[in-house]
Amino acid sequence: MTETTVSSGMTQASVRASNLALVLGEVLAHSGSVSRADIASRLGMTRSTVSRLVDDLILGELVVEGEAVGGARGRPAVPLMVRPGTVYALGLEVNVERMVASLVDLTGEVRAKRHLNTDVEQLTVEEGMAHLSRMAQEILDEMPDGARISGAMLAIPGLIDREGLRVLRSPNLEWDNLEPGEFWHVEFGGAPVPLKVRNDVDCSALTVLREAPGSSFLYVTGEVGIGAAVSMDGQLLSGRHGWASELGHICVDPHGRMCGCGARGCLETVAGAHAVLSLAGQPDIDGVLHALENEDPTALAAVETVAAALGIAIGAALNLLDLSIVRLGGHLASLRSWLRAPLQRELATRVLWAPHSGIELEFVEHSPSRAATGAGLAALGRVTSGPATWVDPLLKR
């Protein structure tokens, strides 16, 4: 890679802005273990250019230097780290049984959180967003002096328009064809906090990517429904309209139960949380786990049924996408001890290339805040993609 230079249509300012984003990206990816020299080598820039850009990022309060680390030869390397506690975003989630508001800083850590367990289906959109606005405002009112907010992102289970403003369809919430931002009333520093909307599983997948940057995998998670996301080399595949990876609505039984989407036999009618409880004859997932530990035949049969349905849907996805890693979250991860073997058998049968390349099943630790945290990471994209906007005002002080 060669250093970006001014070319036709590019100004010196735009080149600098682009290079600032590249350098910040390296620090984000290798925080605490990367130096100016490392970045110069990786990006193909001169050390002097990188040093100037790093100085700007430090003065702009996005990056901080660590303690110098001595090497075998030459001057000690000074590691660069993302600076915590200066720039934040609101990561929000509305799901069937909960609302979450979290404050995420540039390091990706959650610095404050509000969690409300409630039956969202019984609330109007106005009532639900009023609750969420109050939770978010409480968090912002406790922000430290000098903090900056990049915006807010709301994770919703459903189809979102390409602009990230309108929920087109959310069968489990019944929030259809509406803009949550119309019911959002949150301010910081006397100015409205902008709100965008994104699919909840895409947001959850961002937290998985943070733990495994640059990786390729199919992420499948279970809540009331079944959601999925696809990462290729660290980039989520969104599709032409942003609606890719609706694995929960792949048909696994043409004669099965009616799904909330209006179709019959979707994966989530078999593997969604409510379906699993019904199959196992238990009131909640803890009850299912207790029954499985006691080798209850109804619960064991339920897991076999879920594994078969997952095998059909995930097998089809792997045949199409040529991915070898499947990461399972939500209640599917809770069932890992009993789900792994039957699902592995199903995939070995249904994936054409399985005999020639192994399929890895990994289980992601369940966290009811995962989607909200990922939404916060997504909202910080305004900073990571355009750090000059956040750096330059501080340089002019």
Side-chain angles (χ1 to χ4, degrees), residues 216-218 231-232 318 321-327 344 347 351 353 357-362:
S216 299
F217 57 84
L218 171 65
S231 171
M232 287 287 191
L318 298 188
L321 298 169
D322 186 21
L323 291 169
S324 58
I325 298 175
V326 179
R327 295 190 164 112
Q344 198 84 60
L347 294 177
V351 177
W353 46 261
S357 178
I359 298 170
E360 298 179 41
L361 292 182
E362 300 178 0

Side-chain angles (χ1 to χ4, degrees), residues 3 36 39-41 43-53:
E3 183 170 353
R36 298 173 192 236
I39 293 174
S41 176
L43 296 181
M45 297 181 183
T46 64
R47 292 195 181 191
S48 60
T49 296
V50 170
S51 190
R52 287 195 301 270
L53 294 169

Side-chain angles (χ1 to χ4, degrees), residues 276-305 335 338:
V276 172
L277 300 183
S278 177
L279 287 168
Q282 297 294 329
D284 52 38
I285 292 296
D286 285 341
V288 176
L289 296 176
H290 181 73
L292 289 168
E293 289 165 357
N294 287 281
E295 299 184 351
D296 176 76
T298 301
L300 292 171
V303 172
E304 291 287 339
T305 300
L335 300 172
W338 297 272

Side-chain angles (χ1 to χ4, degrees), residues 159 162 199 202 228-230 236-247:
L159 297 180
R162 196 68 169 175
N199 176 266
D202 282 349
V230 174
L236 294 184
L237 300 187
S238 59
R240 181 181 175 188
H241 301 95
W243 306 334
S245 306
E246 286 291 339
L247 192 79

Side-chain angles (χ1 to χ4, degrees), residues 73-137:
R73 297 168 56 188
R75 291 192 300 176
V78 178
L80 302 170
M81 297 171 287
V82 178
R83 180 166 174 171
T86 57
V87 179
Y88 300 85
L90 282 168
L92 314 163
E93 181 193 13
V94 172
N95 218 309
V96 175
E97 299 171 339
R98 66 174 177 270
M99 294 184 179
V100 183
S102 63
L103 187 69
V104 183
D105 76 1
L106 202 56
T107 68
E109 295 298 318
V110 176
R111 302 300 178 180
K113 184 173 67 173
R114 298 289 189 278
H115 189 118
L116 175 65
N117 290 321
T118 186
D119 187 352
V120 178
E121 291 178 288
Q122 299 303 311
L123 303 175
T124 65
V125 176
E126 293 88 344
E127 291 169 336
M129 290 303 298
H131 281 306
L132 197 63
S133 295
R134 281 194 294 272
M135 294 162 65
Q137 193 66 63

Side-chain angles (χ1 to χ4, degrees), residues 304-390:
E304 291 287 339
T305 300
V306 170
L310 285 170
I312 293 171
I314 293 175
L318 298 188
N319 278 324
L320 182 66
L321 298 169
D322 186 21
L323 291 169
S324 58
I325 298 175
V326 179
R327 295 190 164 112
L328 300 169
H331 69 266
L332 301 178
S334 300
L335 300 172
R336 69 187 74 188
S337 297
W338 297 272
L339 186 59
R340 182 188 296 274
L343 179 53
Q344 198 84 60
R345 288 195 301 270
E346 284 287 336
L347 294 177
T349 300
R350 295 187 177 278
V351 177
L352 180 65
W353 46 261
H356 309 287
S357 178
I359 298 170
E360 298 179 41
L361 292 182
E362 300 178 0
F363 294 88
V364 178
E365 195 65 36
H366 176 60
S367 169
S369 302
R370 190 176 287 278
T373 302
L377 294 174
L380 284 165
R382 293 180 63 208
V383 182
T384 58
S385 64
T389 303
W390 301 86

